[in-house]
Amino acid sequence: MDRNAAERRIAQLCAEIRRHDHLYYVLDRPEITDAEFDLLYRELVQLEQEHPELVTPDSPTRRVGGAPLDKFEQVTHRIPMLSLENAFTDGDIAEFDARVKRVLGLSATEEIAYVCEPKMDGLAVELVYENGSLAVGSTRGDGFVGENVTQNLKTVKSIPLRLECAHPPALLEVRGEVYLPLEAFQRLNVQREEDGEPPFANPRNAAAGSIRQLDPRIAARRPLAIFCYAPGEVRGAAFASQTEFLDTMRQWGLPVNPLVRRVTGVEGVLSFYREMTDRRDTLPYEIDGVVVKVDSFSLQRELGEKSRSPRWAVAVKFPPRQAVTVIEDIVPSVGRTGVITPTANLRPVEVSGVTVSRATLHNWEEMERKDIRIGDTVVIERAGDVIPAVVRVLTEKRAGSERFLPIPAACPECGSEVVKIPDEVAVRCMGLSCPAQIRESIIHFASRNAMDMEGLGEKYIEQLLRLGLVGNVADLYTLTRDDFMKFDRMGDKLAENLLNAIEASKRRELSRFIFALGIRHVGEHTARLLATAFGSIDNLARATEAELLSIREIGPQVARSITTFFHNEGNRETIRRMVEAGVEPTVEEKKVGGRFTGKTFVFTGALTRFSRSEAQKMVENEGGHAAGSVSKKTDYVVAGAEAGSKLDKARQLGVTVLTEDGFLQMLEGEQ
Ligand code: IVH
């Protein structure tokens, strides 16, 4: 390919890859399969290798480019990154609102428009876009001077390296919070334990620890994400309000939290705060409160700042997720993969509405590092549904009678040999039929996020095991009413319910089934990726390592773990028995690989054969995308009667125009 053609193709590929990254990481609405994406990416890598002079710094291949640094350079923020004043009670919120009104000279009855945002518990950063390209990314530091962590921030896939905007402003500084989703945090800690590294106490530390690494490959391996929430200095664009600013950021391809809401007055703020308090435990990331901002930028300017915080915003904090309590005992417990984890039995303590009586101590190395002993007074922290962890020991509270629990000589459940594998911090029970491993794998299989066998919890599963009615997960599907009636205190109705719950689980989504199998390193997120990519358990079982690796987000370790799992004859037999018993996982709606994959449709004019939302559904079911306005990216415009400007624009741009019937024919595959 000559240089000119290469240059054009590179520009095309960059644009396409950027668009697909945005669809995948920001909008969660992929239009092509990972394999198709991979082809584009590899073509770009190849062309850039042939023409290194054509590589631009914002090329998608430059996400992980740099060599490890010796140290971070300092970056002075053009506008200091302020912090926020905290509020804790409804009264504090009312007081904040009253003060805003007082300073603005408003009467008590006039209401202020506020923007309410979840307060992300991560690491504050600033992204600097010069003429639309990401030039510098830095940490907040002390608010005035931060560290230049550009290389690491470039690895955050949802941060665009170039703004999606035809005429970008000369300068856009945008602030946001980098965070690690909870599921990734849990997975990372499991991984770290296996790699012999200390786990992170909370997702905030994990995010900060990843961004403050000198070697960018480390951040690249972690699925960090960002939500943008405030402007720094901006030249060549202007925003009248926080709402307009956030909307524009969204349009330009920067992630903005979808929960953000514009409300009116104290009442609006309170109801948002209550709603977030309720939803806190179900969000896939950690938040520690809500941030309330006066929407209008001119009112913000009028209100001004105090020395370190603005008068136009306040952080309403949730009750802390930390508490102080005493470790009454430490018990080794065996997990479903045989790993023996020291677990602390705590004097029960309430942590943000939940009574906590256990915490994970992860492993013995970690216990030694933090010098955690039975009888210690400790600070514990819980994040979302993640098992609480011990943050630190309050050594000043020691009485001298505290004692350290050594690694057990034998498995506390089956007495088998216990082995500490070199290079792993984990201590493992080597018993192949260790009852604890079997119990844990069945509990996991039946649990809410897996096969969701309602009512079939730990207690019943233990009875099933004790009575010898189950030996592995496939046996659950052979249980009869008589089996359950052997339980203590079991009635007809309850037995019926349990059987129904097992029956209902036969038609769970494929992703749940994959997750339920308990394959090492395959959490819920990975299970979803696998379900979408392979569409059936048979296909997944047959997948080669290379095929698995072609899926974005799946690395060699996960790929190997999956193939090892399916090569195991025992596992294959268990799956076969379940399928024979009628387990038939359902397949999620096809997002990719449909007839319209990668195609954008615009519907306009009066539609008579279907409604606009039906049309949108039809397009999405086939992997396409329905947009509101016509642009160069539009593939088809479907025009009903009296179509106006959108139809004109389509003709002007040479976009294919279809009638409703034409569209339906295409949907049926007749065109
Ligand atoms: S606005 C001047 N919005 O909270 C206003 N901050 O205590 C600057 N944070 O350092 C911050 N989510 O790390 C803002 N939606 C949000 C936020 C948020 C989290 C953090 C940020 C900041 C700290 C202030």
Side-chain angles (χ1 to χ4, degrees):
M1 198 183 286
D2 72 35
R3 193 175 181 284
N4 278 343
E7 189 165 8
R8 275 198 306 276
R9 183 65 187 148
I10 286 178
Q12 226 173 26
L13 285 166
C14 284
E16 238 177 292
I17 290 171
R18 261 182 220 123
R19 188 170 93 83
H20 289 301
D21 266 341
H22 185 243
L23 284 164
Y24 187 91
Y25 288 106
V26 182
L27 303 179
D28 199 15
R29 203 176 59 209
E31 289 183 358
I32 57 173
T33 61
D34 288 353
E36 288 167 309
F37 178 88
D38 216 40
L39 277 182
L40 296 175
Y41 193 87
R42 267 184 283 176
E43 186 185 345
L44 179 61
V45 170
Q46 172 88 35
L47 276 176
E48 287 186 342
Q49 266 165 10
E50 287 163 17
H51 302 274
E53 75 285 2
L54 296 178
V55 180
T56 56
D58 58 12
S59 160
T61 61
R62 300 298 104 175
R63 284 208 183 264
V64 205
L69 303 171
D70 294 330
K71 65 173 180 53
F72 293 118
E73 301 290 322
Q74 294 203 326
V75 175
T76 304
H77 302 298
R78 285 191 182 86
I79 299 176
M81 291 176 75
L82 300 177
S83 55
L84 294 171
E85 208 159 281
N86 291 332
F88 297 94
T89 62
D90 291 6
D92 294 346
I93 298 175
E95 208 170 285
F96 164 75
D97 177 65
R99 193 180 59 199
V100 166
K101 286 181 184 171
R102 198 169 54 243
V103 178
L104 295 175
L106 298 179
S107 72
T109 53
E110 284 170 288
E111 296 296 8
I112 304 274
Y114 292 107
V115 170
C116 296
E117 305 171 5
K119 186 170 189 298
M120 302 300 299
D121 198 12
L123 178 75
V125 300
E126 177 168 77
L127 307 171
V128 182
Y129 287 91
E130 288 170 6
N131 299 312
S133 279
L134 178 64
V136 178
S138 55
T139 59
R140 174 176 183 273
D142 63 3
F144 300 96
V145 179
E147 287 172 326
N148 184 332
V149 288
T150 313
Q151 313 210 67
N152 289 338
L153 287 174
K154 277 187 169 178
T155 70
V156 179
K157 301 292 201 318
S158 59
I159 295 182
L161 301 183
R162 177 187 283 178
L163 298 177
E164 279 175 35
C165 151
H167 305 287
L171 176 71
L172 171 75
E173 291 183 346
V174 53
R175 281 107 190 243
E177 198 91 348
V178 171
Y179 66 94
L180 189 66
L182 284 170
E183 198 199 321
F185 162 69
Q186 260 175 309
R187 228 176 328 138
L188 175 62
N189 268 355
V190 170
Q191 175 77 55
R192 285 174 72 82
E193 280 168 42
E194 281 180 9
D195 294 349
E197 289 165 72
F200 289 109
N202 52 48
R204 174 182 62 254
N205 290 0
S210 308
I211 290 298
R212 302 194 59 259
Q213 287 284 342
L214 293 165
D215 183 350
R217 283 171 306 187
I218 296 176
R221 280 201 295 267
R222 303 198 179 147
L224 295 162
I226 191 170
F227 280 131
C228 297
Y229 51 63
E233 187 157 313
V234 181
R235 292 184 210 138
F239 312 100
S241 64
Q242 176 71 357
T243 303
E244 188 188 325
F245 166 73
L246 293 178
D247 285 345
T248 312
M249 293 307 103
R250 254 190 216 114
Q251 269 170 28
W252 288 354
L254 287 155
V256 172
N257 194 322
L259 299 175
V260 169
R261 191 178 308 155
R262 186 176 191 271
V263 304
T264 312
V266 178
E267 277 314 310
V269 171
L270 285 176
S271 83
F272 183 84
Y273 177 71
R274 289 191 196 115
E275 187 183 324
M276 290 304 128
T277 310
D278 288 343
R279 292 176 69 170
R280 181 185 189 190
D281 272 338
T282 61
L283 294 175
Y285 44 77
E286 185 68 357
I287 62 175
D288 60 347
V290 305
V291 181
V292 182
K293 301 170 181 175
V294 170
D295 188 26
S296 154
F297 280 176
S298 61
L299 293 187
Q300 284 190 7
R301 274 189 294 274
E302 232 177 282
L303 286 156
E305 271 120 40
K306 289 190 283 192
S307 64
R308 305 283 328 240
S309 58
R311 275 195 207 89
W312 43 264
V314 70
V316 192
K317 300 288 282 272
F318 289 143
R321 298 257 209 202
Q322 290 195 344
V324 172
T325 188
V326 172
I327 297 184
E328 294 183 329
D329 199 3
I330 298 179
V331 279
S333 60
V334 188
R336 60 189 154 87
T337 57
V339 173
I340 303 180
T341 308
T343 306
N345 285 343
L346 306 171
R347 181 171 301 160
V349 60
E350 200 189 289
V351 190
S352 54
V354 173
T355 305
V356 171
S357 52
R358 284 208 275 182
T360 174
L361 303 176
H362 297 288
N363 56 61
W364 269 268
E365 275 189 27
E366 174 72 0
M367 227 163 47
E368 265 170 50
R369 197 173 62 84
K370 290 185 179 160
D371 190 17
I372 298 171
R373 306 179 195 175
I374 299 168
D376 267 340
T377 302
V378 292
V379 177
I380 59 156
E381 175 164 344
R382 68 177 265 270
D385 277 338
V386 180
I387 313 165
V390 170
V391 181
R392 64 174 195 281
V393 175
L394 301 178
T395 42
E396 65 276 16
K397 298 253 161 123
R398 280 208 174 131
S401 55
E402 295 77 11
R403 56 190 181 84
F404 193 79
L405 181 83
I407 295 179
C411 172
E413 297 264 358
C414 70
S416 296
E417 185 192 4
V418 163
V419 169
K420 184 163 177 310
I421 296 164
D423 301 333
E424 273 193 23
V425 285
V427 172
R428 275 178 209 281
C429 159
M430 300 312 277
L432 271 183
S433 49
C434 172
Q437 291 181 45
I438 295 169
R439 182 184 65 226
E440 293 305 314
S441 64
I442 300 177
I443 292 174
H444 169 74
F445 188 83
S447 67
R448 187 162 49 96
N449 293 351
M451 295 299 260
D452 193 17
M453 298 182 180
E454 208 187 326
L456 194 67
E458 216 168 306
K459 275 207 317 268
Y460 288 138
I461 290 170
E462 271 168 12
Q463 292 204 52
L464 288 171
L465 286 161
R466 219 175 10 246
L467 294 167
L469 294 170
V470 296
N472 74 19
V473 293
D475 295 334
L476 290 172
Y477 293 102
T478 64
L479 292 171
T480 63
R481 171 192 295 265
D482 287 348
D483 289 335
F484 280 117
M485 293 312 285
K486 292 182 187 141
F487 283 20
D488 317 331
R489 284 194 296 277
M490 176 61 64
D492 275 345
K493 184 82 194 121
L494 198 48
E496 183 75 32
N497 288 348
L498 290 172
L499 283 173
N500 286 342
I502 294 174
E503 188 59 32
S505 78
K506 290 180 176 172
R507 303 275 299 153
R508 292 277 175 258
E509 294 100 339
L510 178 61
S511 57
R512 283 171 168 269
F513 183 60
I514 296 171
F515 173 61
L517 292 174
I519 306 167
R520 267 176 92 187
H521 305 307
V522 178
E524 287 173 76
H525 177 69
T526 307
R528 276 194 292 275
L529 294 177
L530 294 170
T532 312
F534 292 96
S536 78
I537 199 74
D538 274 355
N539 289 346
L540 175 62
R542 274 197 296 268
T544 61
E545 251 178 68
E547 281 166 338
L548 290 161
L549 283 171
S550 75
I551 299 174
R552 248 186 296 181
E553 295 188 54
I554 291 200
Q557 191 181 31
V558 181
R560 203 162 317 120
S561 163
I562 295 166
T563 51
T564 310
F565 180 89
F566 286 105
H567 282 153
N568 179 302
E569 188 44 48
N571 291 338
R572 284 223 295 268
E573 173 63 18
T574 304
I575 293 173
R576 209 161 28 236
R577 285 184 51 216
M578 288 196 277
V579 172
E580 271 163 23
V583 175
E584 197 186 344
T586 58
V587 180
E588 290 84 358
E589 248 176 40
K590 254 203 165 141
K591 271 193 176 167
V592 292
R595 197 180 293 284
F596 297 158
T597 297
K599 298 290 183 231
T600 301
F601 286 75
V602 174
F603 292 85
T604 182
L607 303 174
T608 56
R609 307 283 313 264
F610 37 74
S611 71
R612 214 158 288 256
S613 65
E614 279 163 356
Q616 179 164 0
K617 196 107 216 125
M618 289 189 269
V619 167
E620 282 171 4
N621 281 347
E622 288 296 330
H625 169 55
S629 60
V630 179
S631 73
K632 276 188 302 207
K633 290 182 189 156
T634 312
D635 296 290
Y636 299 98
V637 168
V638 180
E642 290 157 39
S645 62
K646 289 183 190 172
L647 181 58
D648 296 341
K649 180 132 189 229
R651 295 215 169 103
Q652 213 180 324
L653 293 170
V655 174
T656 308
V657 178
L658 299 171
T659 60
E660 284 179 83
D661 285 332
F663 168 74
L664 288 173
Q665 275 164 21
M666 201 166 123
L667 187 71
E668 306 288 304
E670 289 169 24
Q671 238 178 36

